[in-house]
Amino acid sequence: MPVKLVNIENLSYRYNSIDVLSDISCDIVAGEYIGLVGPNGSGKSTLIKLMLGLLVPTSGSVKLFGHPPAAMKYRERIGYLPQKMNFFNPYFPSTVKEIVSLGLVSKKKFPKRIGDSDEATIDRTLEMLNIADIKDKAIGDLSGGQQQRVFIARALVNDPELLLLDEPTTALDPETRENFFEILRRLNRDKKVTVVLVTHDTGTIGKYASKLLYIDKEIVFFGDFDEFCMSGDMTKFFGPSSQHLICHRHGMNILTVKQRPNND
């Protein structure tokens, strides 16, 4: 029986009397890879923050691993990368290795010390993201793209069951972006890590994600890309040319898909 890692029921959020999200209901099952997409201001980042308990819903509920976010019973099982590191001081005297090691602290009992096995885990994660050669550099001396890879490494280092990533590739060059998507694909496929990735790039994420969750303050579509490309409702919502372009970037010919025979 599929295990629900995230259960969202009738979730709404208002800010200064403005509806940010309205009546969101969906389940995210263990092992899924969800592309969370939508236009600017559609509530994507807000939904992630509500999942984590960083915001309190106006109505409705969220549960992670069967518990409300305030229960704090699952933090060590989650990797999270926010959209903007507003709290990050680039001049703080920490090295790449020290920043990434913070991702292991949540699993530690007092005293929270990093041991030899942790050092090996950190080194493997840095290697995976091709930043092992800068592990002793100060975080403030790095480029924006390098800093982003460091924060991605911090989200991955604790071997999370659920990975929540809010626009993680915005500062990455095209080659690094593709490599990162491949890393996520392997984690999802081989280690069964459940991934929720916020992005504006509907077409590209379709090559990797198992499901597309498109929101615009409410759920517009939740399903796989074949369903998206065959959906008449989505044709009306996006327009035929936009839907065709998204599906083409996904590597799918929408006209061929819609002409497939029904063998059920």
Side-chain angles (χ1 to χ4, degrees), residues 14 24 43 53 57 60-61 83 93 111 155 209 211:
R14 290 173 63 84
I24 302 289
S61 65
Q83 184 179 39
K211 284 187 177 180

Side-chain angles (χ1 to χ4, degrees), residues 184-220:
L184 287 185
R185 193 212 295 266
R186 290 197 303 270
L187 288 171
N188 175 252
R189 181 190 62 207
D190 301 337
K191 292 192 174 184
K192 309 304 179 187
V193 177
T194 304
V195 178
V196 180
L197 189 147
V198 175
T199 180
H200 286 92
D201 196 342
T202 308
T204 297
I205 194 60
K207 296 191 296 184
Y208 302 98
S210 58
K211 284 187 177 180
L212 175 71
L213 175 56
Y214 194 102
I215 66 172
D216 191 0
K217 299 187 178 181
E218 59 185 11
I219 292 180
V220 176

Side-chain angles (χ1 to χ4, degrees), residues 4-224:
K4 295 178 184 178
L5 294 195
V6 183
N7 172 244
I8 301 172
E9 293 187 0
N10 306 117
L11 186 69
S12 296
Y13 182 76
R14 290 173 63 84
Y15 180 74
N16 288 341
S17 301
I18 297 173
D19 288 325
V20 180
L21 289 171
S22 180
D23 199 26
I24 302 289
S25 294
C26 64
D27 293 327
I28 297 173
V29 174
E32 288 187 324
Y33 185 161
I34 307 296
L36 176 53
V37 295
N40 287 330
S42 61
K44 302 184 298 296
S45 296
T46 299
L47 181 57
I48 293 291
K49 291 175 181 177
L50 287 164
M51 288 184 192
L52 290 166
L54 301 176
L55 296 174
V56 178
T58 304
S59 61
S61 65
V62 179
K63 289 184 179 180
L64 274 71
F65 302 100
H67 300 281
M72 296 288 288
K73 293 184 177 181
Y74 53 82
R75 294 294 185 185
E76 73 280 358
R77 300 164 70 181
I78 295 175
Y80 170 52
L81 180 67
Q83 184 179 39
K84 296 178 180 178
M85 306 298 290
N86 293 326
F87 55 86
F88 168 63
N89 180 353
Y91 301 106
F92 189 77
S94 291
T95 65
V96 168
K97 184 177 178 180
E98 289 168 341
I99 292 290
V100 175
S101 71
L102 295 175
L104 294 171
V105 170
S106 63
K107 287 188 173 181
K108 297 288 182 184
K109 295 181 180 179
F110 188 83
K112 295 178 179 292
R113 294 175 180 169
I114 300 298
D116 291 342
S117 63
D118 298 319
E119 297 271 1
T121 299
I122 292 168
D123 287 343
R124 284 196 302 272
T125 306
L126 295 175
E127 287 281 357
M128 182 170 61
L129 289 164
N130 296 317
I131 51 175
D133 59 326
I134 60 171
K135 71 177 182 179
D136 295 320
K137 286 191 174 184
I139 189 73
D141 292 339
L142 305 181
S143 68
Q146 288 173 321
Q147 288 180 358
Q148 187 72 343
R149 279 188 279 172
V150 172
F151 294 122
I152 289 169
R154 189 182 66 175
L156 295 176
V157 73
N158 69 336
D159 198 21
E161 295 177 46
L162 175 63
L163 191 54
L164 302 174
L165 303 165
D166 194 351
E167 295 280 3
T169 63
T170 51
L172 303 182
D173 60 80
E175 182 179 356
T176 303
R177 186 181 303 122
E178 286 299 316
N179 288 339
F180 174 61
F181 278 130
E182 285 296 334
I183 288 168
L184 287 185
R185 193 212 295 266
R186 290 197 303 270
L187 288 171
N188 175 252
R189 181 190 62 207
D190 301 337
K191 292 192 174 184
K192 309 304 179 187
V193 177
T194 304
V195 178
V196 180
L197 189 147
V198 175
T199 180
H200 286 92
D201 196 342
T202 308
T204 297
I205 194 60
K207 296 191 296 184
Y208 302 98
S210 58
K211 284 187 177 180
L212 175 71
L213 175 56
Y214 194 102
I215 66 172
D216 191 0
K217 299 187 178 181
E218 59 185 11
I219 292 180
V220 176
F221 177 83
F222 187 36
D224 64 32

